[in-house]
Amino acid sequence: MSSNDAGVRRGSSTRRAELKQAYKEKPPPMGVFVIRNRANGKVLVGTALNLPGMLNRFRFELTTGIHRRWPALQEDWNRHGADSFSFEVLDVLPPTEEPRTDLKEELQVLEALWLERLRPYGEAGYGG
């Protein structure tokens, strides 16, 4: 191996470390999501400070049968199967540098707009 090859390897591991650090420092996307049951048209609208984390949590809990907050959603998941559901991000709240910003309040406002638009109440949805 030449000294040039060793420099390339060190450079790529340094680059990987820099990318990993940048990922850790970057806040996860936050916003509004929807879970759609394509078999019956029902939807669940929610918010999360960490959208990927929340959607992964829902998938895991539904797949393992331990989702307890929305029993009707779990029942439909068991009845129709995973392929009948979609997990979508509806809106992303841009990160802010303002230290006094109440992110949860901003998410609630954004969620209210989507609830008004989608109206996931009664037979049309799982929550509310």
Side-chain angles (χ1 to χ4, degrees), residues 39-87:
N40 63 17
K42 284 186 171 186
V43 298
L44 173 70
V45 176
T47 64
L49 293 171
N50 179 340
L51 285 167
M54 181 62 77
L55 294 176
N56 285 338
R57 177 181 170 185
F58 265 95
R59 280 187 195 99
F60 174 78
E61 289 181 354
L62 290 167
T63 300
T64 57
I66 62 171
H67 192 75
R68 290 181 176 48
R69 185 161 180 201
W70 288 280
L73 175 62
Q74 183 69 64
E75 289 171 17
D76 281 353
W77 180 276
N78 295 343
R79 180 180 308 117
H80 300 294
D83 291 339
S84 295
F85 289 82
S86 66
F87 296 77

